[in-house]
Amino acid sequence: MRTFKASIEGLTPLLPNRYVEEAELVERIGSKPRDKSKEDEWRRREALLRSIVSIGHSLGLTVTAEGVENAEELACITAAGCDQIQGYFLAKPMDRPDFESWLGQPR
């Protein structure tokens, strides 16, 4: 059994206005696994993501999920209520001129 301890109270002096969910959790969300033995872990990760988003919102933070790479992950992230997403599903990293060009393209 693994135990994780963290002090949320330790964050209060920082007064962030944005929280970024790490790609590690996002990449394991995706679609429901076909293997029944992995369903419980998937459900716990999904519940953890929803809880993290809820805590962020209750603190007035904008919650961003990074590492979104496919439609299944996007669906889970959207259902969890994340405010913003980052990842290859939208676009690969690019320099400013390429980004400005990309912004001007119809979607």
Side-chain angles (χ1 to χ4, degrees):
M1 174 186 258
R2 291 179 280 164
T3 302
F4 175 77
K5 290 185 178 182
S7 173
I8 298 294
E9 183 64 28
L11 294 175
T12 54
L14 300 176
L15 299 174
N17 60 3
R18 192 174 131 197
Y19 173 78
V20 177
E21 181 55 53
E22 293 187 24
E24 187 175 324
L25 179 62
V26 172
E27 72 187 18
R28 293 187 179 141
I29 287 289
S31 59
K32 188 174 179 181
R34 293 183 186 169
D35 182 346
K36 293 282 187 190
S37 68
K38 295 183 179 180
E39 262 188 55
D40 285 342
E41 180 182 351
W42 178 80
R43 288 182 201 283
R44 283 193 303 271
R45 287 182 185 281
E46 191 178 46
L48 178 61
L49 177 64
R50 284 193 314 268
S51 297
I52 290 169
V53 171
S54 178
I55 290 169
H57 286 161
S58 70
L59 294 171
L61 304 178
T62 298
V63 180
T64 302
E66 67 176 20
V68 179
E69 295 186 1
N70 59 53
E72 291 84 12
E73 291 171 354
L74 178 60
C76 285
I77 296 301
T78 302
C82 282
D83 303 301
Q84 301 173 342
I85 64 166
Q86 297 174 341
Y88 286 167
F89 187 66
L90 288 180
K92 303 225 184 295
M94 58 190 88
D95 58 23
R96 185 178 181 141
D98 290 340
F99 176 69
E100 289 172 348
S101 175
W102 179 83
L103 273 179
Q105 297 174 4
R107 310 245 179 278

